[in-house]
Amino acid sequence: QVQLVESGGGLVQAGDSLRLSCRASGRTFTEYRMGWFRQAPGKEREFVASIKWSGGSEYYSDSLKDRFVISRDTQNTVYLQMNSLKPEDTAVYYCSADPRGLGTQYIYWGQGTQVTVSS
């Protein structure tokens, strides 16, 4: 059973930075691709960034790649560093895992963490 638990969300002001964490547990994740997605009120869930659990191979949404950075450590945690936050970044942010590592089948999801950016 794979479990993903996000943390680090909150209320910040425009221009601030925030780092989200996703703690993964339940098995060995070496071949997995880990992703961050977000969903704003009234909008569909959208891709933010992804990274191979073994390291490297980062991908970003074109609109976010200049401000967001995905990384992971050796303690089963994936991070999303968000800089120069804007009100339009307000959303629930979800951590996800694709066991095949291709970034096409994210079947495990966390419960989400709310990020609210005030103007």
Side-chain angles (χ1 to χ4, degrees):
Q1 183 78 13
V2 173
Q3 290 187 324
L4 305 174
V5 180
E6 304 98 332
S7 62
L11 173 63
V12 297
Q13 293 186 331
D16 286 350
S17 296
L18 203 59
R19 189 177 77 161
L20 305 182
S21 300
C22 171
R23 176 81 175 179
S25 62
R27 61 152 296 150
T28 302
F29 296 94
T30 305
E31 301 304 316
Y32 279 45
R33 175 166 287 277
M34 306 298 293
W36 283 100
F37 291 75
R38 70 183 185 181
Q39 188 166 19
K43 296 186 176 182
E44 294 187 353
R45 189 172 298 185
E46 66 172 337
F47 171 78
V48 174
S50 69
I51 187 170
K52 281 283 285 184
W53 189 265
S54 57
S57 188
E58 297 95 348
Y59 289 102
Y60 294 92
S61 165
D62 286 342
S63 64
L64 300 174
K65 62 184 178 181
D66 292 334
R67 298 187 294 120
F68 290 12
V69 179
I70 190 171
S71 62
R72 96 295 180 253
D73 65 13
T74 58
Q75 302 299 317
N76 281 11
T77 301
V78 178
Y79 303 97
L80 183 68
Q81 177 68 40
M82 305 185 294
N83 302 316
S84 302
L85 283 163
K86 305 175 181 180
E88 50 264 43
D89 294 320
T90 295
V92 178
Y93 284 72
Y94 297 91
C95 178
S96 62
D98 174 357
R100 297 177 62 191
L102 301 177
T104 57
Q105 287 187 309
Y106 289 97
I107 64 173
Y108 299 109
W109 295 86
Q111 82 288 351
T113 185
Q114 176 71 48
V115 173
T116 303
V117 184
S118 64
S119 58

